[in-house]
Amino acid sequence: MKPIFTFSFILFFKLILFSSYNSYSQNDSSKANHNHIIGIGGYVFRNAALVSFEYGKRTKNWNELTIPVYFTKEGRRKGITIAGSYHIALVKKRSRFNFFISPELNLAYSWYERLNTGTNVSRFGYFICFGLIPQVRLTNRIVLVYEFKFGHGYLWAKNDKYSFNNEVIYTERGWYFRYLPAFRLKYSF
């Protein structure tokens, strides 16, 4: 009987002691500031598809610094683009609707097989993009976003080592315009 009484008294004492301190979730649950953002999105063109993932951090004035990754597929051409983007919020407070202006720098790489020759062509380059991003807050943590980004950049192309007698069969280089739209669902934590 005595050990059960001692155990009960110690448990009761610990509950009183710990319940008198406010933890973060108890004290500021209505004012929680979720600064980290992850998102997934995509867009389908007539003959191409774009899937994007994003990780970001929100600053004190509701701007966002993000790192999006884009995967593209158009016929036999596949590509990956890694970018750094800064979303400048036009509404500097927590609201249901917000609008962002977004400068972005992309590093792009794509590859595809040249006709039926067995020769693979790689394309790499950079783009400087500018975006307009309206968003709607669905819940406290979930946001629906439509990203409309367009950019201009330079791409280089080269054949792989299986070119016939090291002769360049196909080259492609020059200035290109790029369009990166996405419907994206973001989650803040």
Side-chain angles (χ1 to χ4, degrees):
M1 232 22 209
K2 191 171 184 182
I4 293 175
F5 177 77
T6 306
F7 176 74
S8 299
F9 179 76
I10 291 172
L11 181 63
F12 180 73
F13 180 74
K14 285 183 180 180
L15 287 174
I16 291 174
L17 180 68
F18 290 125
S19 66
S20 64
Y21 293 108
N22 286 331
S23 66
Y24 176 75
S25 64
Q26 291 171 337
N27 192 21
D28 292 330
S29 62
S30 62
K31 298 179 183 178
N33 196 3
H34 310 291
N35 290 333
H36 297 278
I37 302 163
I38 57 172
I40 184 169
Y43 197 83
V44 177
F45 302 95
R46 290 180 193 213
N47 60 352
L50 178 133
V51 176
S52 63
F53 300 97
E54 177 183 70
Y55 172 77
K57 185 165 174 73
R58 186 176 294 123
T59 61
K60 291 180 181 178
N61 55 0
W62 294 96
N63 296 337
E64 298 174 357
L65 181 62
T66 64
I67 301 172
V69 178
Y70 303 98
F71 296 98
T72 57
K73 184 175 186 319
E74 179 181 0
R76 283 188 256 161
R77 180 179 294 170
K78 298 172 184 77
I80 184 169
T81 301
I82 299 173
S85 180
Y86 188 69
H87 300 190
I88 302 167
L90 297 181
V91 178
K92 300 291 186 180
K93 62 181 181 177
R94 182 181 199 87
S95 68
R96 182 169 177 161
F97 299 100
N98 205 341
F99 196 77
F100 293 91
I101 296 175
S102 174
E104 180 172 304
L105 176 64
N106 289 342
L107 298 175
Y109 176 73
S110 64
W111 63 95
Y112 61 98
E113 186 177 330
R114 173 76 171 125
L115 299 174
N116 292 322
T117 62
T119 302
N120 289 325
V121 178
S122 299
R123 300 171 24 163
F124 51 94
Y126 64 90
F127 288 90
I128 297 173
C129 296
F130 178 75
L132 303 172
I133 308 170
Q135 76 174 18
V136 177
R137 182 173 305 282
L138 301 176
T139 67
N140 191 23
R141 293 185 180 207
I142 298 175
V143 176
L144 181 64
V145 174
Y146 176 69
E147 292 188 355
F148 174 76
K149 293 183 182 179
F150 55 92
H152 187 61
Y154 195 82
L155 282 177
W156 294 269
K158 65 175 187 160
N159 293 349
D160 64 3
K161 62 184 178 180
Y162 299 110
S163 301
F164 181 69
N165 291 333
N166 290 330
E167 183 180 338
V168 176
I169 299 170
Y170 183 73
T171 60
E172 181 182 81
R173 61 183 62 211
W175 292 96
Y176 292 92
F177 285 98
R178 185 160 209 198
Y179 177 52
L180 295 168
F183 286 107
R184 184 173 287 152
L185 200 61
K186 290 185 177 183
Y187 177 75
S188 300
F189 61 98

